[in-house]
Amino acid sequence: MTPRQNRNRDRADRGIPEATVARLPVYLRALHSLQERGVATVSSEELASAAGVNSAKLRKDLSHLGSYGTRGVGYEVEYLVYQISRELGLTQDWVVAIIGVGNLGRALAGYGGFASRGFRVAGLLDADDAIVGQEISGMTVEHIDRLEDLIAERGVSIAVIATPAAAAQGVCDRVVAAGVTSVLNFAPVVLSVPDGVDVRKVDLSIELQILAFHEQRKAGGPGDYDPRSGEGPPGTTQYVEAVQR
């Protein structure tokens, strides 16, 4: 059993909810910010405010890690960073391959936050001969034909898919067949994977539409526009909602 599988089993044995797991990186980001400012201890209220949650939820989440803090003192920032990092598996090196080196793939390759959080980008792959061979962020883009060999040679644990939608499922099938069981998907498509494979999807258009929804509500609601009425074009936020109906 791999270290990641052992960690997942231990988490399940302790009954840590997935919602809590999803909030741990948010707490960690807030704690790193406190560290950078030289803060040694933080109260649950202060940390909750920095993370955008209520303090009762934060205390409950951290209790799953066995950390209750000290009454009247709060949490030691450095120790809590270690606890959360260990729970998330960030105290070891995770090797990442980015597949698809268009504008988004290039931006991801140059993101400095990966290394500081325990992720090492060890490969960039693309199918475009015009891109293959280019030097990007200190790495040479390799041809997608090398995918399986690269995964095996460099011990890739996580595949980041930043390809066009039409190519994403085929790429996903290949990385899964090569033994990768964690996929971060930026392609605008839902990937089908077997049991035991974790996929996280990042869809910027969906996030923008959610923001548009809230902006519209703050402006007083969608109004009475009916897209079938022919009474005139909607505003931008009205258009988004009309398309979603």
Side-chain angles (χ1 to χ4, degrees):
M1 186 173 287
T2 67
R4 186 174 66 83
Q5 289 170 326
N6 278 324
R7 189 177 73 257
N8 289 342
R9 185 182 65 181
D10 292 344
R11 179 191 301 154
D13 291 343
R14 295 201 307 275
I16 300 180
E18 284 300 318
T20 295
V21 175
R23 286 189 289 269
L24 292 181
V26 180
Y27 301 151
L28 188 59
R29 180 177 60 194
L31 287 163
H32 279 303
S33 178
L34 291 170
Q35 272 189 320
E36 291 169 0
R37 288 163 28 209
V39 176
T41 60
V42 62
S43 70
S44 59
E45 289 78 11
E46 291 168 333
L47 182 54
S49 176
V53 301
N54 65 63
S55 58
K57 179 178 292 185
L58 178 136
R59 286 192 294 270
K60 183 175 181 180
D61 285 342
L62 296 184
S63 72
H64 291 295
L65 278 63
S67 174
Y68 297 86
T70 303
R71 184 178 296 277
V73 176
Y75 299 97
E76 292 184 20
V77 172
E78 183 176 359
Y79 183 58
L80 194 51
V81 165
Y82 169 75
Q83 283 185 301
I84 295 177
S85 296
R86 182 181 60 179
E87 185 61 44
L88 291 173
L90 303 183
T91 53
Q92 57 185 303
D93 185 41
W94 295 103
V95 182
V96 177
I98 298 175
I99 305 148
V101 194
N103 291 334
L104 178 57
R106 289 168 187 263
L108 293 171
Y111 175 56
F114 285 140
S116 64
R117 300 296 187 268
F119 300 96
R120 177 168 58 88
V121 178
L124 306 175
L125 300 109
D126 203 280
D128 188 343
D129 289 333
I131 295 176
V132 172
Q134 292 184 16
E135 292 285 330
I136 297 175
S137 299
M139 291 174 287
T140 301
V141 180
E142 301 179 59
H143 197 277
I144 191 68
D145 289 347
R146 285 258 309 137
L147 177 60
E148 289 81 3
D149 290 339
L150 185 147
I151 288 171
E153 292 168 2
R154 301 177 195 175
V156 172
S157 302
I158 300 171
V160 177
I161 297 178
T163 66
Q169 185 64 59
V171 167
C172 182
D173 292 343
R174 289 178 62 185
V175 299
V176 170
V180 175
T181 57
S182 292
V183 176
L184 181 61
N185 177 33
F186 284 89
V189 63
V190 176
L191 297 176
S192 176
V193 297
D195 291 341
V197 176
D198 296 315
V199 176
R200 299 290 296 181
K201 186 175 186 337
V202 180
D203 192 321
L204 300 180
S205 66
I206 287 177
E207 299 304 321
L208 286 170
Q209 289 178 70
I210 292 170
L211 287 173
F213 169 84
H214 289 295
E215 280 298 309
Q216 180 174 250
R217 289 300 181 269
K218 286 185 283 186
D224 298 324
Y225 173 76
D226 183 344
R228 297 165 296 182
S229 68
E231 294 178 357
T236 302
T237 53
Q238 290 174 318
Y239 176 77
V240 169
E241 184 171 77
V243 169
Q244 289 180 316
R245 287 175 179 163

